[in-house]
mmCIF file of all heavy atoms in Angstrom:
data_model
loop_
_atom_site.group_PDB
_atom_site.id
_atom_site.type_symbol
_atom_site.label_atom_id
_atom_site.label_comp_id
_atom_site.label_asym_id
_atom_site.label_seq_id
_atom_site.Cartn_x
_atom_site.Cartn_y
_atom_site.Cartn_z
ATOM 1 N N ILE B 9 5.541 4.498 8.362
ATOM 2 C CA ILE B 9 4.231 5.107 8.581
ATOM 3 C C ILE B 9 3.606 4.788 9.936
ATOM 4 O O ILE B 9 2.569 5.332 10.293
ATOM 5 C CB ILE B 9 3.226 4.695 7.475
ATOM 6 C CG1 ILE B 9 3.026 3.179 7.454
ATOM 7 C CG2 ILE B 9 3.678 5.184 6.127
ATOM 8 C CD1 ILE B 9 1.848 2.747 6.587
ATOM 9 N N ALA B 10 4.254 3.873 10.688
ATOM 10 C CA ALA B 10 3.696 3.533 11.996
ATOM 11 C C ALA B 10 3.600 4.796 12.845
ATOM 12 O O ALA B 10 4.538 5.585 12.909
ATOM 13 C CB ALA B 10 4.578 2.504 12.682
ATOM 14 N N GLY B 11 2.475 5.001 13.439
ATOM 15 C CA GLY B 11 2.341 6.137 14.345
ATOM 16 C C GLY B 11 1.941 7.432 13.672
ATOM 17 O O GLY B 11 1.574 8.388 14.342
ATOM 18 N N LEU B 12 1.984 7.480 12.349
ATOM 19 C CA LEU B 12 1.507 8.694 11.681
ATOM 20 C C LEU B 12 -0.010 8.764 11.785
ATOM 21 O O LEU B 12 -0.688 7.726 11.696
ATOM 22 C CB LEU B 12 1.902 8.673 10.201
ATOM 23 C CG LEU B 12 3.396 8.771 9.911
ATOM 24 C CD1 LEU B 12 3.636 8.825 8.411
ATOM 25 C CD2 LEU B 12 3.995 9.996 10.593
ATOM 26 N N GLY B 13 -0.519 9.945 11.910
ATOM 27 C CA GLY B 13 -1.952 10.167 12.087
ATOM 28 C C GLY B 13 -2.853 9.179 11.371
ATOM 29 O O GLY B 13 -3.595 8.426 12.024
ATOM 30 N N PRO B 14 -2.783 9.113 10.060
ATOM 31 C CA PRO B 14 -3.738 8.282 9.328
ATOM 32 C C PRO B 14 -3.617 6.795 9.645
ATOM 33 O O PRO B 14 -4.559 6.038 9.447
ATOM 34 C CB PRO B 14 -3.378 8.542 7.863
ATOM 35 C CG PRO B 14 -2.590 9.801 7.860
ATOM 36 C CD PRO B 14 -1.921 9.889 9.185
ATOM 37 N N PHE B 15 -2.435 6.377 10.125
ATOM 38 C CA PHE B 15 -2.202 4.948 10.320
ATOM 39 C C PHE B 15 -2.041 4.596 11.785
ATOM 40 O O PHE B 15 -1.645 3.491 12.143
ATOM 41 C CB PHE B 15 -0.985 4.503 9.518
ATOM 42 C CG PHE B 15 -1.099 4.877 8.082
ATOM 43 C CD1 PHE B 15 -0.302 5.875 7.539
ATOM 44 C CD2 PHE B 15 -2.046 4.265 7.267
ATOM 45 C CE1 PHE B 15 -0.434 6.235 6.213
ATOM 46 C CE2 PHE B 15 -2.184 4.626 5.943
ATOM 47 C CZ PHE B 15 -1.381 5.617 5.420
ATOM 48 N N ASP B 16 -2.303 5.561 12.588
ATOM 49 C CA ASP B 16 -2.299 5.349 14.011
ATOM 50 C C ASP B 16 -3.230 4.180 14.315
ATOM 51 O O ASP B 16 -4.257 4.028 13.688
ATOM 52 C CB ASP B 16 -2.870 6.621 14.675
ATOM 53 C CG ASP B 16 -2.279 6.804 16.049
ATOM 54 O OD1 ASP B 16 -1.239 6.196 16.341
ATOM 55 O OD2 ASP B 16 -2.873 7.564 16.832
ATOM 56 N N SER B 17 -2.865 3.381 15.235
ATOM 57 C CA SER B 17 -3.731 2.305 15.721
ATOM 58 C C SER B 17 -3.986 1.204 14.694
ATOM 59 O O SER B 17 -4.944 0.454 14.812
ATOM 60 C CB SER B 17 -5.069 2.857 16.236
ATOM 61 O OG SER B 17 -5.915 3.209 15.160
ATOM 62 N N LEU B 18 -3.132 1.114 13.669
ATOM 63 C CA LEU B 18 -3.198 -0.061 12.807
ATOM 64 C C LEU B 18 -2.187 -1.093 13.325
ATOM 65 O O LEU B 18 -1.131 -0.729 13.839
ATOM 66 C CB LEU B 18 -2.864 0.281 11.350
ATOM 67 C CG LEU B 18 -3.874 1.118 10.565
ATOM 68 C CD1 LEU B 18 -3.562 1.058 9.083
ATOM 69 C CD2 LEU B 18 -5.298 0.684 10.823
ATOM 70 N N THR B 19 -2.526 -2.346 13.158
ATOM 71 C CA THR B 19 -1.597 -3.402 13.577
ATOM 72 C C THR B 19 -0.433 -3.473 12.592
ATOM 73 O O THR B 19 -0.551 -3.015 11.454
ATOM 74 C CB THR B 19 -2.295 -4.770 13.565
ATOM 75 O OG1 THR B 19 -2.674 -5.065 12.217
ATOM 76 C CG2 THR B 19 -3.533 -4.757 14.453
ATOM 77 N N PRO B 20 0.663 -4.065 13.000
ATOM 78 C CA PRO B 20 1.800 -4.228 12.076
ATOM 79 C C PRO B 20 1.389 -4.924 10.781
ATOM 80 O O PRO B 20 1.828 -4.524 9.703
ATOM 81 C CB PRO B 20 2.770 -5.086 12.872
ATOM 82 C CG PRO B 20 2.478 -4.771 14.302
ATOM 83 C CD PRO B 20 1.006 -4.515 14.361
ATOM 84 N N ALA B 22 -1.540 -4.908 9.373
ATOM 85 C CA ALA B 22 -2.327 -3.957 8.596
ATOM 86 C C ALA B 22 -1.406 -2.962 7.898
ATOM 87 O O ALA B 22 -1.584 -2.646 6.718
ATOM 88 C CB ALA B 22 -3.315 -3.224 9.499
ATOM 89 N N LEU B 23 -0.405 -2.485 8.623
ATOM 90 C CA LEU B 23 0.532 -1.535 8.026
ATOM 91 C C LEU B 23 1.185 -2.140 6.789
ATOM 92 O O LEU B 23 1.323 -1.487 5.758
ATOM 93 C CB LEU B 23 1.613 -1.136 9.044
ATOM 94 C CG LEU B 23 1.145 -0.291 10.227
ATOM 95 C CD1 LEU B 23 2.292 -0.092 11.214
ATOM 96 C CD2 LEU B 23 0.630 1.058 9.740
ATOM 97 N N PHE B 120 -9.764 -0.641 6.570
ATOM 98 C CA PHE B 120 -9.181 0.033 7.738
ATOM 99 C C PHE B 120 -9.987 1.289 8.045
ATOM 100 O O PHE B 120 -9.592 2.404 7.679
ATOM 101 C CB PHE B 120 -7.711 0.364 7.467
ATOM 102 C CG PHE B 120 -6.931 -0.815 6.973
ATOM 103 C CD1 PHE B 120 -6.476 -0.865 5.662
ATOM 104 C CD2 PHE B 120 -6.693 -1.911 7.801
ATOM 105 C CE1 PHE B 120 -5.772 -1.966 5.195
ATOM 106 C CE2 PHE B 120 -5.998 -3.024 7.341
ATOM 107 C CZ PHE B 120 -5.540 -3.049 6.031
ATOM 108 N N PRO B 121 -11.077 1.096 8.748
ATOM 109 C CA PRO B 121 -11.991 2.221 9.003
ATOM 110 C C PRO B 121 -11.306 3.381 9.722
ATOM 111 O O PRO B 121 -11.662 4.543 9.511
ATOM 112 C CB PRO B 121 -13.066 1.606 9.903
ATOM 113 C CG PRO B 121 -12.970 0.132 9.684
ATOM 114 C CD PRO B 121 -11.548 -0.152 9.356
ATOM 115 N N SER B 122 -10.308 3.066 10.533
ATOM 116 C CA SER B 122 -9.667 4.168 11.250
ATOM 117 C C SER B 122 -8.877 5.038 10.273
ATOM 118 O O SER B 122 -8.730 6.241 10.467
ATOM 119 C CB SER B 122 -8.747 3.641 12.357
ATOM 120 O OG SER B 122 -7.544 3.134 11.811
ATOM 121 N N PHE B 123 -8.399 4.411 9.211
ATOM 122 C CA PHE B 123 -7.713 5.171 8.170
ATOM 123 C C PHE B 123 -8.712 6.070 7.433
ATOM 124 O O PHE B 123 -8.478 7.271 7.243
ATOM 125 C CB PHE B 123 -7.011 4.212 7.201
ATOM 126 C CG PHE B 123 -6.549 4.837 5.926
ATOM 127 C CD1 PHE B 123 -5.619 5.872 5.947
ATOM 128 C CD2 PHE B 123 -7.034 4.403 4.696
ATOM 129 C CE1 PHE B 123 -5.193 6.463 4.763
ATOM 130 C CE2 PHE B 123 -6.620 4.995 3.518
ATOM 131 C CZ PHE B 123 -5.699 6.019 3.550
ATOM 132 N N SER B 126 -9.753 8.910 9.698
ATOM 133 C CA SER B 126 -8.715 9.933 9.817
ATOM 134 C C SER B 126 -8.672 10.817 8.569
ATOM 135 O O SER B 126 -8.498 12.032 8.648
ATOM 136 C CB SER B 126 -7.375 9.251 10.048
ATOM 137 O OG SER B 126 -6.325 10.104 9.721
#
Side-chain angles (χ1 to χ4, degrees):
Chain B
I9 61 168
L12 293 183
F15 306 109
D16 209 18
S17 76
L18 290 194
T19 63
L23 291 174
F120 309 110
S122 76
F123 166 61
S126 160

